């Protein structure tokens, strides 16, 4: 259980670290809010919601774990749920047959609470997939319009679309994990590992390389635009 909580904590930290670069991307692509502001605000909201749901899942897991630890420590789960029986009595054999019944009940209750968090856990993949698709669409539309020929490359956008597609597959598998065929589950698990261990880190590293360059290009473009406006104002001035 400790390793699981540590893993969830790292995942939550990863989501929080993803928020600043995505917001920077949205600011750059929207030209500081001048171009398609609504679409880029929604893009940032997807990532913020993913981080929020991951934090909620972590808090729910901590609550369940602490409650189960308290029950296992302060309650007699071996015989506390059974009627008292003396050695040799008819109920003594039944008690021995159901030894550890309390531990089984606690385990079932814990599994049930984890099932209640199923959608909270799965929706992270949905938000990630939607955010990556929105970023890929933004890059493609900007390049087609001729606005971003020197900024984010199209191949980076296509890689984001691939990662987003696999994230949506993970979302579907998480929701149907109790009914999915085991062979298909093995295939999707392999794809999930490929996505989370190879493709997504590569996309993030590429974003880290491209983001400073794009910010510098945007700053140069903004400075040139201001110079043009100043020159045009000077020409229009009388005398």
């Amino acid at each position: 259980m400790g390793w699981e909580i540590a893993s969830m904590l790292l995942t939550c930290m990863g989501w929080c670290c993803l928020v600043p670069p995505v917001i920077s991307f949205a600011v750059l692509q929207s030209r500081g809010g001048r171009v398609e502001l609504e679409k880029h605000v929604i893009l940032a909201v997807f990532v913020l919601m993913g981080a929020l749901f991951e934090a909620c899942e972590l808090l729910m897991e901590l609550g369940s774990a602490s409650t189960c630890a308290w029950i296992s420590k302060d309650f007699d789960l071996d015989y506390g749920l059974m009627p008292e029986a003396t050695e040799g009595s008819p109920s003594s054999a039944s008690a021995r047959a159901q030894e550890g019944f309390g531990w089984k009940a606690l385990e079932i209750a814990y599994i049930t609470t984890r099932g209640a968090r199923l959608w909270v856990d799965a929706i992270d993949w949905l938000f990630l997939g939607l955010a990556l698709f929105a970023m890929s669409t933004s890059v493609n539309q900007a390049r087609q319009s001729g606005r971003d020929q020197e900024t984010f490359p199209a191949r980076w956008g296509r890689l984001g679309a691939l990662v987003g597609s696999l994230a949506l597959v993970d979302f579907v598998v998480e929701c149907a994990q109790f009914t999915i065929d085991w062979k298909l589950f093995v295939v999707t698990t392999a794809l999930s590992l490929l996505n989370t261990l190879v493709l997504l880190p590569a996309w993030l590293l590429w974003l880290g390389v491209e983001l400073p360059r794009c910010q510098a290009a945007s700053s140069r473009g903004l400075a040139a635009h201001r110079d043009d406006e100043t020159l045009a104002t000077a020409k229009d001035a009388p005398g």
Side-chain angles (χ1 to χ4, degrees), residues 4 57 111-123 125 169-186 188-189:
E4 185 176 0
E57 183 188 1
I111 294 174
T112 303
T113 57
R114 292 192 62 183
R117 301 195 306 270
L118 175 64
W119 284 94
V120 180
D121 185 26
I123 205 168
W125 294 109
V169 171
D170 279 327
F171 168 71
V172 174
V173 172
E174 286 284 343
C175 294
Q177 59 180 289
F178 297 117
T179 59
I180 194 172
D181 182 73
W182 70 270
K183 295 181 180 179
L184 181 60
F185 182 78
V186 170
T188 54
T189 300

Side-chain angles (χ1 to χ4, degrees), residues 205-229:
L205 290 174
W206 200 346
L207 174 62
V209 171
E210 295 293 335
L211 194 57
R213 184 180 65 83
C214 296
Q215 289 174 334
S218 178
S219 299
R220 290 194 300 268
L222 182 60
H225 180 67
R226 289 175 177 173
D227 292 341
D228 292 341
E229 287 183 345

Side-chain angles (χ1 to χ4, degrees), residues 25-225:
F25 170 88
V27 172
L28 283 173
Q29 289 295 99
S30 65
R31 293 296 185 266
R34 297 189 300 271
V35 179
E36 297 179 334
L37 176 61
E38 297 82 3
K39 182 177 71 175
H40 292 94
V41 168
I42 293 174
L43 186 159
V45 167
F46 283 150
V47 180
L48 288 171
M49 291 299 293
L52 178 62
F53 272 84
E54 187 63 37
C56 290
E57 183 188 1
L58 175 61
L59 293 176
M60 293 170 68
E61 177 66 25
L62 288 173
S64 299
S66 60
T67 302
C68 290
W70 168 65
I71 292 175
S72 64
K73 180 180 179 181
D74 292 354
F75 287 77
D76 182 9
L77 299 180
D78 290 320
Y79 299 103
L81 300 180
M82 299 296 299
E84 294 185 0
T86 59
E87 187 67 27
S89 65
S91 60
S92 176
S94 176
R96 285 195 299 270
Q98 300 189 43
E99 181 179 353
F101 177 80
W103 294 103
K104 299 174 184 178
L106 179 62
E107 181 66 21
I108 292 174
Y110 179 69
I111 294 174
T112 303
T113 57
R114 292 192 62 183
R117 301 195 306 270
L118 175 64
W119 284 94
V120 180
D121 185 26
I123 205 168
D124 292 342
W125 294 109
L126 177 62
F127 284 129
L128 179 62
L130 293 177
L132 292 177
F133 269 116
M135 295 174 74
S136 176
T137 303
S138 176
V139 170
N140 292 335
Q141 290 179 350
R143 293 183 68 85
Q144 290 174 4
S145 65
R147 291 188 285 109
D148 282 337
Q149 294 299 327
E150 297 182 357
T151 56
F152 293 94
R155 289 182 295 177
W156 176 80
R158 288 193 289 268
L159 177 60
L162 175 60
V163 175
S165 300
L166 294 178
L168 293 180
V169 171
D170 279 327
F171 168 71
V172 174
V173 172
E174 286 284 343
C175 294
Q177 59 180 289
F178 297 117
T179 59
I180 194 172
D181 182 73
W182 70 270
K183 295 181 180 179
L184 181 60
F185 182 78
V186 170
V187 174
T188 54
T189 300
L191 291 176
S192 178
L193 291 175
L194 174 65
N195 191 31
T196 54
L197 297 180
V198 180
L199 298 180
L200 181 57
W203 180 85
L204 289 171
L205 290 174
W206 200 346
L207 174 62
V209 171
E210 295 293 335
L211 194 57
R213 184 180 65 83
C214 296
Q215 289 174 334
S218 178
S219 299
R220 290 194 300 268
L222 182 60
H225 180 67

